[in-house]
Amino acid sequence: MDFRFNFSIDENENSEADDHFLLLTPAQKQESMEESRKTTDDVAASSPRPGPDKHQDEAPPKTKLCVKAAKEHNIPKDLDKVLENKVMETVSDLYYVNMSVVEMTCSGDADSEGIVSKSVSSHSDLIPGVYEGGLKIWECTFDLMDYFSEAEIQFTKKTVLDLGCGAGLLGIAALRGKAERVHFQDYNSTVIEEITLPNVVANCVREGSGKDREASKPPPKRPKKAECSPDMLTKCRFFSGGWSEVSQFLLGSNKPFSKYDIILTSETIYNPDYYSALHDTLAQLLDKNGHVYLASKVHYFGVGGGIYLFEKFIEERNVFRISVVKTIDQGLQRCIMEMTFKDSL
């Protein structure tokens, strides 16, 4: 099954600082990494999303964050309501909610967190502890989806977590790949309700139409009727809240829970303050023989995170085996990493 994409939505990548970093010698890169490392004094256990490329020079303030409690979002019985007032766009064979329309129409009870107005008024894709970037689809998401095809990643009968899901495209790809169970997690409840859920429903329309998917018609720009397969949606659960909180929620829940065969995550290592929460969440929720596929830029200016620093952090913890399985040199250098437990088969 081919999930290959030839463009990204996150296109404003090439700043002078980006080009400068790509030309650094290994010793200079190490020095840059060590400077970034000095910023990681206090670890905040919150769910991260990548900082905005257009604000890379603006480091978030060092404040104690109020981490959001975990919440499970039920799938509405009336699926038509999920797609109401949504404008759908397409990328290859997937559908996603037009983010600009969400920003214009989402208010009141639909945005109880107030993240849309706060993001727009502050001209920022990151407000630490408040809004963690889920209103935007980030470039490395498409890198990872390309990798699914190139590496022939098999989702059939697997249990999958899309961690820091945002639009949920990685989890939707797993659903299309016949995963047995797919869970979606994002820091913000507004993202889950207004973006992730509608995207999953819209992509299930064709799956549940009873026709051959290639021959069926795509949903209209403003889909009014949902024809989503019940079987597809019963595979899904949706969660919001900080990573540590969601982990505790799942592990302590009365509902049956088994650990994930595959955890997918994109651009979630931009801030070293979040590495401990990410590491512990992966360690707690991944099956002993499971795999993590993580996509990231090599370096995030302003907030100091990136591939080198995260690799060093993981090696120091000595729990996971980590390796870079693909490097993308177009624009700002990006990587795909694979993680498994050191004691796995």
Side-chain angles (χ1 to χ4, degrees):
M1 188 169 295
D2 193 354
F3 297 111
R4 190 170 300 278
F5 294 82
N6 296 316
F7 77 100
S8 78
I9 295 177
D10 175 24
E11 294 179 338
N12 298 321
E13 300 292 342
N14 297 319
S15 66
E16 292 181 4
D18 298 340
D19 295 333
H20 172 71
F21 184 77
L22 294 178
L23 297 174
L24 295 181
T25 65
Q28 290 172 322
K29 288 182 180 180
Q30 179 65 24
E31 181 180 354
S32 175
M33 184 182 72
E34 291 301 327
E35 289 178 356
S36 298
R37 183 61 172 163
K38 294 177 183 178
T39 68
T40 62
D41 299 325
D42 299 311
V43 175
S46 91
S47 169
R49 290 293 301 175
D53 296 328
K54 61 186 176 182
H55 297 291
Q56 284 179 0
D57 294 331
E58 300 177 11
K62 282 287 181 179
T63 57
K64 185 176 181 180
L65 304 182
C66 180
V67 180
K68 291 185 183 297
K71 174 184 177 181
E72 180 165 8
H73 297 256
N74 294 322
I75 300 170
K77 292 182 179 180
D78 186 358
L79 296 178
D80 297 337
K81 290 288 186 182
V82 177
L83 299 178
E84 191 173 47
N85 299 320
K86 296 295 187 292
V87 175
M88 307 306 297
E89 303 292 341
T90 60
V91 50
S92 188
D93 200 29
L94 291 184
Y95 302 98
Y96 65 93
V97 172
N98 183 300
M99 306 292 188
S100 297
V101 174
V102 171
E103 290 182 353
M104 290 187 293
T105 61
C106 187
S107 61
D109 291 340
D111 183 24
S112 59
E113 298 169 299
I115 64 170
V116 174
S117 60
K118 290 174 183 176
S119 174
V120 172
S121 63
S122 64
H123 304 287
S124 176
D125 291 312
L126 171 65
I127 307 174
V130 177
Y131 162 58
E132 298 289 353
L135 296 173
K136 181 176 180 178
I137 301 177
W138 298 86
E139 182 177 30
C140 291
T141 295
F142 299 105
D143 293 337
L144 188 50
M145 295 179 78
D146 282 346
Y147 182 73
F148 294 161
S149 296
E150 296 166 9
E152 298 182 346
I153 303 299
Q154 297 298 313
F155 294 109
T156 305
K157 296 184 179 180
K158 302 292 186 181
T159 58
V160 179
L161 173 63
D162 186 346
L163 190 68
C165 62
L169 298 186
L170 298 177
I172 291 168
L175 277 174
R176 290 279 184 90
K178 310 302 180 185
E180 180 68 24
R181 176 166 52 92
V182 180
H183 292 176
F184 299 83
Q185 178 275 335
D186 194 87
Y187 187 78
N188 292 108
S189 59
T190 298
V191 171
I192 292 292
E193 296 282 354
E194 297 298 320
I195 296 175
T196 316
L197 254 169
N199 285 349
V200 173
V201 171
N203 281 283
C204 286
V205 168
R206 295 174 75 189
E207 295 287 354
S209 65
K211 302 176 183 179
D212 178 78
R213 186 161 60 89
E214 295 299 326
S216 65
K217 295 181 180 180
K221 282 280 186 178
R222 292 183 179 272
K224 296 182 179 180
K225 295 293 182 181
E227 301 175 3
C228 189
S229 165
D231 290 340
M232 292 293 290
L233 282 180
T234 56
K235 296 180 177 182
C236 302
R237 291 175 70 183
F238 300 84
F239 306 92
S240 63
W243 283 336
S244 300
E245 285 66 30
V246 170
S247 296
Q248 293 170 11
F249 180 88
L250 288 170
L251 296 172
S253 174
N254 291 327
K255 292 185 179 181
F257 173 75
S258 58
K259 295 189 177 185
Y260 300 103
D261 299 310
I262 298 174
I263 297 179
L264 308 171
T265 190
S266 175
E267 304 219 46
T268 48
I269 63 170
Y270 76 100
N271 192 334
D273 287 348
Y274 299 146
Y275 287 2
S276 182
L278 176 57
H279 175 277
D280 292 349
T281 297
L282 297 177
Q284 291 167 1
L285 298 183
L286 186 67
D287 181 78
K288 63 179 182 179
N289 292 316
H291 294 257
V292 176
Y293 295 100
L294 185 155
S296 173
K297 295 180 177 69
V298 167
H299 188 78
Y300 292 91
F301 291 93
V303 282
I307 296 295
Y308 304 124
L309 196 58
F310 186 68
E311 281 185 307
K312 188 174 188 294
F313 181 93
I314 294 299
E315 289 168 0
E316 289 174 349
R317 288 297 183 98
N318 200 35
V319 173
F320 288 104
R321 181 186 304 114
I322 185 169
S323 60
V324 174
V325 293
K326 181 182 179 181
T327 300
I328 301 98
D329 289 319
Q330 299 172 345
L332 181 61
Q333 192 176 41
R334 310 179 302 277
C335 292
I336 307 294
M337 292 188 290
E338 181 177 5
M339 296 171 59
T340 56
F341 285 114
K342 285 197 168 183
D343 58 358
S344 62
L345 298 177

